[in-house]
Amino acid sequence: MSNDSSNIVAKNTMHALLLVLALVALAVARPVHLIVDTDIGGGGCQDVDDIAAVCIANALADNGEAELLAIVQNTAPPPCAGVISVLNHWYGRDDVPLGAYKGTGLTHSNPPLSFVDDLVANYPSPVKNSSQVPDAVSIYRQALAAAPDASVAISSIGLLTNLENLLRSGPDQYSALSGVDLVAQKVFLLVAMAGKYPTSNGGANGAECNMCGCYNGADATSAQTAASSSIYVFSHMAPTVKVLFSGGEVGVEIRTGAVLETCAEANNPCRRAFMDFKRDNPGGWAKGGRSSWDPLTILVAVRGASAAGNGVTECDDCDGTNSVTEGGNNHWVAGPPSNQTYLILHDANVAAKAIDTLLCQRPRQQAAAVLS
Ligand SMILES: *[C@@H]1O[C@H](CO)[C@@H](O)[C@H](O)[C@H]1NC(C)=O
Ligand SMILES: *[C@@H]1O[C@H](CO)[C@@H](O)[C@H](O)[C@H]1NC(C)=O
């Protein structure tokens, strides 16, 4: 009898100890240091899913799961940086550094989606356009230099133009390292919404958009710039940096954002952008909302590719590397193990639920963000 009860006491003590250890582990799990590189609403791959991406990046930061080190725009239209600023302001994050592509290889000949001007004109934000923010390369270099080694995840959800310029960059006021060496030292993960897997070659619509930058009325010079950036980035990335490709064939199946119509306040800018898109681009809308290439890419950058509840895993049966060629086509070349792999979709509804839940989450510390 006394033996039994002391066993029970010992067991309970052990359980309590394990619980405390689990809580401590949770408490010390550091937020993922995240940089988001987006083509939000403008350029050859303009879409509304970048809105979901930037909104859930903020929600994940509210949860303590991510720390937003910077958000940069990888296209040319000036007001797109203003959209990022509107969203960050809504979530009370005016302090996140913003940057934009300042090269000459992209034009803004094709107009942005309608939500871009709507948000910038009708919502408060400290930044209205890209002329008010530094070059994305210096924002990247400043953020990386200040971060602990191997602590940064980059979520690339647009053209690879900024990343090309970062990799090509040399020492500056922030770091004595070259761009390639700075990335190798600071970045543990690049999740790139780019390409189709195992191949885009021969696919019905050809190259995936972020790899080629060639749809939505993009001019030839801009498409050429975008494709050569993709080729450069994926052939010059340090081999020690894990590169996880989020393929077009995965995100297309995951529909999100329709829920904003009922779960969010009428003046929520994430909701407003989705409703603008639904009204003006009905062909891109389906039950559940818009395809979710970009928010999925944020989700896996922060929670891990194969985390339960993502509805995806990384391929564990695809040793090799991605080859990007002329025109932004890509194909997986089987070969020895590398630090490159790609996402496999298991359950689009599970992925959609994770994203929609974050979209519906109220900002933790909202700035005084009302329709002006
Ligand atoms: C950018 O915004 C500023 C501040 O609102 C404005 O003065 C400037 O004309 C704008 N530039 C462009 C290119 O839209
Ligand atoms: C993958 O990255 C790890 C460290 O991040 C490195 O030790 C390893 O050599 C890399 N693998 C390849 C095949 O380059």
Side-chain angles (χ1 to χ4, degrees):
M1 189 70 187
S2 71
N3 267 352
D4 279 0
S5 58
S6 64
N7 271 346
I8 288 168
V9 170
K11 262 189 192 158
N12 285 344
T13 308
M14 181 62 94
H15 286 159
L17 191 63
L18 287 175
L19 183 66
V20 167
L21 286 175
L23 288 175
V24 167
L26 267 182
V28 299
R30 277 175 306 176
V32 172
H33 291 154
L34 182 67
I35 299 177
V36 179
D37 196 333
T38 172
D39 60 345
I40 199 157
C45 308
Q46 52 182 245
D47 212 311
V48 76
D49 68 324
D50 299 75
I51 290 278
V54 172
C55 293
I56 75 163
N58 272 285
L60 287 159
D62 281 352
N63 292 346
E65 297 180 72
E67 182 184 334
L68 283 174
L69 298 191
I71 304 184
V72 291
Q73 174 196 338
N74 51 52
T75 52
C80 294
V83 173
I84 302 169
S85 185
V86 164
L87 301 177
N88 283 358
H89 185 74
W90 172 258
Y91 283 92
R93 267 194 200 84
D94 287 342
D95 55 338
V96 173
L98 305 185
Y101 174 79
K102 304 264 169 150
T104 54
L106 297 176
T107 67
H108 43 92
S109 50
N110 53 327
L113 291 172
S114 60
F115 72 74
V116 172
D117 284 342
D118 184 23
L119 262 56
V120 174
N122 293 305
Y123 283 81
S125 62
V127 169
K128 297 293 180 195
N129 60 56
S130 55
S131 72
Q132 297 168 282
V133 302
D135 189 310
V137 174
S138 56
I139 292 293
Y140 257 125
R141 291 187 59 91
Q142 185 172 15
L144 292 176
D149 289 354
S151 72
V152 178
I154 296 173
S155 183
S156 176
I157 53 171
L159 307 184
L160 282 303
T161 46
N162 289 333
L163 280 170
E164 177 190 6
N165 291 344
L166 170 63
L167 292 178
R168 286 185 186 275
S169 67
D172 65 357
Q173 63 194 107
Y174 303 117
S175 170
L177 297 177
S178 70
V180 171
D181 290 344
L182 185 59
V183 168
Q185 186 173 320
K186 304 294 186 172
V187 177
F188 76 94
L189 176 64
L190 167 63
V191 190
M193 196 287 111
K196 296 177 188 170
Y197 300 89
T199 181
S200 74
N201 291 323
N205 299 307
E208 183 278 321
C209 194
N210 288 342
M211 283 291 196
C212 72
C214 61
Y215 300 109
N216 298 297
D219 61 275
T221 304
S222 298
Q224 173 61 38
T225 297
S228 65
S229 290
S230 304
I231 294 169
Y232 190 91
V233 167
F234 298 120
S235 55
H236 290 80
M237 186 54 64
T240 51
V241 174
K242 178 167 176 155
V243 180
L244 175 62
F245 292 97
S246 174
E249 75 286 354
V250 177
V252 71
E253 304 290 341
I254 303 164
R255 294 281 179 166
T256 60
V259 69
L260 283 166
E261 192 161 7
T262 49
C263 77
E265 308 100 303
N267 67 344
N268 177 321
C270 313
R271 178 186 190 278
R272 174 88 158 230
F274 266 79
M275 294 304 107
D276 284 351
F277 184 89
K278 180 185 179 185
R279 183 192 63 222
D280 297 339
N281 307 81
W285 190 265
K287 187 170 181 292
R290 182 62 180 148
S291 290
S292 307
W293 303 277
D294 296 347
L296 178 73
T297 302
I298 298 284
L299 189 72
V300 302
V302 171
R303 292 189 171 165
S306 304
N310 283 355
V312 294
T313 60
E314 58 182 63
C315 183
D316 53 12
D317 184 23
C318 55
D319 286 345
T321 52
N322 198 16
S323 167
V324 188
T325 51
E326 205 70 7
N329 270 295
N330 77 285
H331 65 281
W332 198 257
V333 181
S338 77
N339 284 320
Q340 299 188 1
T341 186
Y342 55 87
L343 286 179
I344 304 284
L345 179 64
H346 295 280
D347 190 331
N349 291 327
V350 168
K353 181 154 192 287
I355 292 164
D356 277 340
T357 300
L358 288 163
L359 280 176
C360 290
Q361 191 179 294
R362 290 286 153 92
R364 190 167 56 87
Q365 194 186 0
Q366 197 166 22
V370 287
L371 278 173
S372 58

